[in-house]
């Protein structure tokens, strides 16, 4: 089964499957959905990994003073900031404040004013925003004259933050892949467009769908079986080349795979780098 994102949908599904068939959560990064004992696997890295990579990237950019913005509405919005803080501070940085917000907020002036009043100003602001909240925040942040760098998680990619215009220019975010050396993403995109007559809407998440199919196929081919428990055992020890590169489960429910860093340049996403973090916060 190819499972939905977010644990609010995924965990009830696992209550039904109960380890009888593998469930591959294609685009989810939630830690609670990674449980091979229940036949549950992420296709991507988890939130701790992407946030740790963001923190390591921030340090390599010379950022030493940060602010995080969190929400308790869903785990994605605070597991990320907690892991970022652990890794960033472990590397000698300082997180001056963790500001809170709620999903659906339409005004971030309180958070922006607090950031604008900090002395020194943060080198970087980290969050796991989506649009439309991200667009409101970025607009108000720049209108207030705050020039701090902004790094976010894959929600910027999923909601296509670059579509909001100038306010998104220069922001960084973690993603799952980007067409380039070491992967076959461009071939996948070209093949999809040729078959469907239109381009795929979200590059990274579409490519994860291809990965999920390739993982399932590899499990069947390696076992010559379609029996659920057999396939679960195969996936939890699977290493295979997929559309986005190499992925390996090594006994767990979350594959080890690189985190891609993208930035918004000239109104679109652009590649910055790809690596696996040397330290994973909260692990």
């Amino acid at each position: 089964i190819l499972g939905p994102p977010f644990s609010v949908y995924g965990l009830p599904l696992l209550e039904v499957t109960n380890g009888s068939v593998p469930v591959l959560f294609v685009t989810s990064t939630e830690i609670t959905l990674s449980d091979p004992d229940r036949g549950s696997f992420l296709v991507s890295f988890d939130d701790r990994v992407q946030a740790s990579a963001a923190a390591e990237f921030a340090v390599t950019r010379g950022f030493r003073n940060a602010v995080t913005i969190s929400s308790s509405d869903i785990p994605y919005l605070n597991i990320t900031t907690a892991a970022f803080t652990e890794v960033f501070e472990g590397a000698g940085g300082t997180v001056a404040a963790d500001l809170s917000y709620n999903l659906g907020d339409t005004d971030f002036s309180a958070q922006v004013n607090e950031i604008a009043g900090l002395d020194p100003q943060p080198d970087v602001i980290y969050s796991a925003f989506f649009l439309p909240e991200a667009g409101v925040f970025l607009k108000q942040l720049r209108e207030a004259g705050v020039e701090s760098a902004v790094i976010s998680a894959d929600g910027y990619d999923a909601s296509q933050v670059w579509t909001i215009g100038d306010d998104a220019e220069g922001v960084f975010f973690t993603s799952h892949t980007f067409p380039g050396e070491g992967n076959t993403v461009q071939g996948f995109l070209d093949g999809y467009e040729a078959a469907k007559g239109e381009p795929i809407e979200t590059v990274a998440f579409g490519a994860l769908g291809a990965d999920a199919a390739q993982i399932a196929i590899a499990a069947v081919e390696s076992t010559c079986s379609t029996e659920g428990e057999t396939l679960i055992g195969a996936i939890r020890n699977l290493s295979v080349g997929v559309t986005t590169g190499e992925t390996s489960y090594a006994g767990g429910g979350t594959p080890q795979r690189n985190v891609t860093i993208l930035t918004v340049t000239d109104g679109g996403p652009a590649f910055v780098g790809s690596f696996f973090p040397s330290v994973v916060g909260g692990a």
Side-chain angles (χ1 to χ4, degrees):
I1 294 176
L2 302 186
F6 302 117
S7 56
V8 67
Y9 307 114
L11 292 177
L13 172 62
L14 296 180
E15 291 297 322
V16 176
T17 58
N18 196 31
S20 63
V21 60
V23 180
L24 294 166
F25 288 98
V26 181
T27 62
S28 185
T29 53
E30 287 199 57
I31 299 162
T32 55
L33 295 177
S34 172
D35 188 354
D37 290 337
R38 302 180 74 185
S40 175
F41 303 90
L42 301 185
V43 174
S44 180
F45 46 68
D46 65 33
D47 287 323
R48 297 171 301 190
V49 171
Q50 69 167 325
S52 299
E56 193 167 311
F57 172 72
V59 171
T60 65
R61 301 283 294 192
F63 303 150
R64 294 294 179 267
N65 185 25
V67 167
T68 58
I69 303 178
S70 305
S71 172
S72 59
D73 288 348
I74 56 174
Y76 174 80
L77 301 175
N78 54 48
I79 289 175
T80 44
T81 49
F84 177 93
T85 298
E86 181 180 332
V87 173
F88 189 75
E89 293 188 334
T94 299
V95 176
D98 178 47
L99 308 179
S100 64
Y101 80 101
N102 295 310
L103 286 173
D105 281 352
T106 58
D107 182 13
F108 289 86
S109 57
Q111 295 91 334
V112 166
N113 288 338
E114 188 163 349
I115 294 170
L118 290 173
D119 185 15
Q121 286 283 276
D123 300 317
V124 62
I125 299 165
Y126 178 78
S127 70
F129 275 138
F130 298 95
L131 293 182
E133 292 91 345
V136 176
F137 172 75
L138 289 171
K139 180 177 178 60
Q140 293 182 324
L141 186 74
R142 298 317 184 199
E143 287 178 343
V146 177
E147 298 180 355
S148 307
V150 173
I151 305 177
S152 195
D154 62 338
Y156 267 22
D157 198 1
S159 57
Q160 299 180 312
V161 70
W162 53 89
T163 62
I164 68 172
D166 291 344
D167 293 324
E169 282 292 308
V171 302
F172 299 99
F173 54 95
T174 48
S175 183
H176 304 276
T177 192
F178 200 73
E181 294 183 10
N183 64 52
T184 58
V185 173
Q186 191 60 56
F188 163 73
L189 297 175
D190 293 343
Y192 182 96
E193 186 167 1
K196 299 291 186 179
E198 60 185 14
I200 200 162
E201 185 173 343
T202 53
V203 171
F205 294 94
L208 286 177
D211 286 0
Q214 290 160 333
I215 290 165
I217 291 166
V220 171
E221 289 180 338
S222 68
T223 60
C224 295
S225 173
T226 56
E227 195 276 325
E229 292 184 3
T230 300
L231 294 178
I232 290 170
I235 293 172
R236 69 190 301 166
N237 293 293
L238 189 67
S239 293
V240 62
V242 292
T243 295
T244 60
E246 295 292 323
T247 195
S248 176
Y249 284 93
T254 304
Q256 179 162 327
R257 49 182 292 143
N258 286 346
V259 178
T260 297
I261 307 290
L262 301 178
T263 188
V264 177
T265 302
D266 297 329
F271 180 79
V272 177
S274 182
F275 63 96
F276 192 85
S278 58
V279 177
V280 177

